[in-house]
mmCIF file of all heavy atoms in Angstrom:
data_model
loop_
_atom_site.group_PDB
_atom_site.id
_atom_site.type_symbol
_atom_site.label_atom_id
_atom_site.label_comp_id
_atom_site.label_asym_id
_atom_site.label_seq_id
_atom_site.Cartn_x
_atom_site.Cartn_y
_atom_site.Cartn_z
ATOM 1 N N GLY A 108 12.350 28.232 -13.403
ATOM 2 C CA GLY A 108 12.964 27.267 -12.492
ATOM 3 C C GLY A 108 12.667 27.559 -11.044
ATOM 4 O O GLY A 108 11.702 27.070 -10.499
ATOM 5 N N LYS A 109 13.471 28.386 -10.400
ATOM 6 C CA LYS A 109 13.310 28.668 -8.978
ATOM 7 C C LYS A 109 12.274 29.773 -8.758
ATOM 8 O O LYS A 109 12.371 30.859 -9.319
ATOM 9 C CB LYS A 109 14.651 29.084 -8.376
ATOM 10 C CG LYS A 109 14.618 29.169 -6.871
ATOM 11 C CD LYS A 109 16.010 29.387 -6.310
ATOM 12 C CE LYS A 109 16.017 29.179 -4.843
ATOM 13 N NZ LYS A 109 16.009 30.246 -3.979
ATOM 14 N N ASN A 110 11.274 29.474 -7.938
ATOM 15 C CA ASN A 110 10.242 30.450 -7.614
ATOM 16 C C ASN A 110 10.759 31.487 -6.619
ATOM 17 O O ASN A 110 11.769 31.269 -5.953
ATOM 18 C CB ASN A 110 9.014 29.741 -7.039
ATOM 19 C CG ASN A 110 8.327 28.875 -8.059
ATOM 20 O OD1 ASN A 110 8.364 29.156 -9.256
ATOM 21 N ND2 ASN A 110 7.681 27.812 -7.598
ATOM 22 N N LYS A 111 10.061 32.597 -6.510
ATOM 23 C CA LYS A 111 10.377 33.641 -5.535
ATOM 24 C C LYS A 111 9.520 33.417 -4.289
ATOM 25 O O LYS A 111 8.320 33.143 -4.403
ATOM 26 C CB LYS A 111 10.078 35.045 -6.087
ATOM 27 C CG LYS A 111 11.012 35.499 -7.174
ATOM 28 C CD LYS A 111 12.336 35.897 -6.564
ATOM 29 C CE LYS A 111 13.262 36.456 -7.623
ATOM 30 N NZ LYS A 111 14.594 36.662 -7.077
ATOM 31 N N VAL A 112 10.124 33.560 -3.123
ATOM 32 C CA VAL A 112 9.397 33.423 -1.862
ATOM 33 C C VAL A 112 9.441 34.759 -1.132
ATOM 34 O O VAL A 112 10.510 35.271 -0.817
ATOM 35 C CB VAL A 112 9.998 32.304 -0.980
ATOM 36 C CG1 VAL A 112 9.259 32.220 0.353
ATOM 37 C CG2 VAL A 112 9.944 30.959 -1.707
ATOM 38 N N VAL A 113 8.253 35.310 -0.891
ATOM 39 C CA VAL A 113 8.105 36.579 -0.174
ATOM 40 C C VAL A 113 7.627 36.245 1.233
ATOM 41 O O VAL A 113 6.671 35.486 1.407
ATOM 42 C CB VAL A 113 7.072 37.491 -0.876
ATOM 43 C CG1 VAL A 113 6.822 38.740 -0.065
ATOM 44 C CG2 VAL A 113 7.518 37.824 -2.293
ATOM 45 N N ARG A 114 8.296 36.825 2.215
ATOM 46 C CA ARG A 114 7.923 36.573 3.609
ATOM 47 C C ARG A 114 7.734 37.899 4.327
ATOM 48 O O ARG A 114 8.545 38.810 4.203
ATOM 49 C CB ARG A 114 9.007 35.753 4.310
ATOM 50 C CG ARG A 114 8.700 35.497 5.774
ATOM 51 C CD ARG A 114 9.799 34.698 6.431
ATOM 52 N NE ARG A 114 9.658 34.677 7.861
ATOM 53 C CZ ARG A 114 9.584 33.568 8.592
ATOM 54 N NH1 ARG A 114 9.649 32.383 8.007
ATOM 55 N NH2 ARG A 114 9.472 33.649 9.909
ATOM 56 N N ARG A 115 6.630 37.965 5.068
ATOM 57 C CA ARG A 115 6.370 39.125 5.924
ATOM 58 C C ARG A 115 6.173 38.633 7.351
ATOM 59 O O ARG A 115 5.319 37.799 7.611
ATOM 60 C CB ARG A 115 5.118 39.882 5.476
ATOM 61 C CG ARG A 115 4.839 41.109 6.327
ATOM 62 C CD ARG A 115 3.646 41.901 5.845
ATOM 63 N NE ARG A 115 3.548 43.170 6.563
ATOM 64 C CZ ARG A 115 2.670 44.115 6.275
ATOM 65 N NH1 ARG A 115 1.813 43.941 5.265
ATOM 66 N NH2 ARG A 115 2.644 45.238 6.967
ATOM 67 N N ASP A 116 6.994 39.144 8.255
ATOM 68 C CA ASP A 116 6.828 38.898 9.684
ATOM 69 C C ASP A 116 6.159 40.147 10.253
ATOM 70 O O ASP A 116 6.707 41.249 10.132
ATOM 71 C CB ASP A 116 8.170 38.661 10.359
ATOM 72 C CG ASP A 116 8.752 37.296 10.029
ATOM 73 O OD1 ASP A 116 9.222 37.098 8.889
ATOM 74 O OD2 ASP A 116 8.715 36.425 10.913
ATOM 75 N N ILE A 117 5.003 39.965 10.856
ATOM 76 C CA ILE A 117 4.243 41.088 11.399
ATOM 77 C C ILE A 117 4.383 41.075 12.915
ATOM 78 O O ILE A 117 4.052 40.077 13.571
ATOM 79 C CB ILE A 117 2.752 40.996 11.013
ATOM 80 C CG1 ILE A 117 2.586 40.916 9.495
ATOM 81 C CG2 ILE A 117 1.971 42.173 11.594
ATOM 82 C CD1 ILE A 117 1.167 40.599 9.041
ATOM 83 N N TYR A 118 4.876 42.188 13.459
ATOM 84 C CA TYR A 118 5.014 42.362 14.902
ATOM 85 C C TYR A 118 4.046 43.439 15.357
ATOM 86 O O TYR A 118 3.436 44.126 14.537
ATOM 87 C CB TYR A 118 6.460 42.746 15.255
ATOM 88 C CG TYR A 118 7.460 41.683 14.855
ATOM 89 C CD1 TYR A 118 8.093 41.737 13.613
ATOM 90 C CD2 TYR A 118 7.741 40.627 15.713
ATOM 91 C CE1 TYR A 118 8.994 40.754 13.230
ATOM 92 C CE2 TYR A 118 8.652 39.636 15.332
ATOM 93 C CZ TYR A 118 9.270 39.704 14.095
ATOM 94 O OH TYR A 118 10.146 38.731 13.715
ATOM 95 N N LYS A 119 3.911 43.613 16.645
ATOM 96 C CA LYS A 119 2.978 44.606 17.195
ATOM 97 C C LYS A 119 3.283 46.019 16.698
ATOM 98 O O LYS A 119 2.373 46.805 16.479
ATOM 99 C CB LYS A 119 3.014 44.590 18.727
ATOM 100 C CG LYS A 119 2.667 43.251 19.336
ATOM 101 C CD LYS A 119 1.204 43.029 19.453
ATOM 102 C CE LYS A 119 0.941 41.714 20.187
ATOM 103 N NZ LYS A 119 -0.326 41.148 19.895
ATOM 104 N N ASP A 120 4.577 46.346 16.501
ATOM 105 C CA ASP A 120 4.927 47.717 16.144
ATOM 106 C C ASP A 120 5.575 47.880 14.769
ATOM 107 O O ASP A 120 5.858 48.997 14.352
ATOM 108 C CB ASP A 120 5.847 48.322 17.218
ATOM 109 C CG ASP A 120 7.107 47.506 17.441
ATOM 110 O OD1 ASP A 120 7.203 46.389 16.903
ATOM 111 O OD2 ASP A 120 7.998 47.993 18.161
ATOM 112 N N ASN A 121 5.822 46.782 14.048
ATOM 113 C CA ASN A 121 6.408 46.899 12.706
ATOM 114 C C ASN A 121 6.313 45.574 11.958
ATOM 115 O O ASN A 121 5.816 44.590 12.485
ATOM 116 C CB ASN A 121 7.861 47.377 12.781
ATOM 117 C CG ASN A 121 8.793 46.317 13.349
ATOM 118 O OD1 ASN A 121 8.371 45.350 13.967
ATOM 119 N ND2 ASN A 121 10.072 46.517 13.149
ATOM 120 N N SER A 122 6.816 45.571 10.732
ATOM 121 C CA SER A 122 6.897 44.355 9.919
ATOM 122 C C SER A 122 8.297 44.259 9.335
ATOM 123 O O SER A 122 8.935 45.286 9.081
ATOM 124 C CB SER A 122 5.901 44.389 8.761
ATOM 125 O OG SER A 122 4.583 44.240 9.207
ATOM 126 N N THR A 123 8.752 43.034 9.118
ATOM 127 C CA THR A 123 9.999 42.822 8.394
ATOM 128 C C THR A 123 9.669 42.008 7.147
ATOM 129 O O THR A 123 8.703 41.251 7.124
ATOM 130 C CB THR A 123 11.063 42.090 9.243
ATOM 131 O OG1 THR A 123 10.549 40.812 9.642
ATOM 132 C CG2 THR A 123 11.429 42.920 10.472
#
Side-chain angles (χ1 to χ4, degrees):
K109 190 172 192 259
N110 293 331
K111 290 284 184 188
V112 178
V113 175
R114 178 181 168 124
R115 181 177 189 174
D116 286 73
I117 304 171
Y118 299 93
K119 301 277 185 204
D120 57 351
N121 70 343
S122 289
T123 60

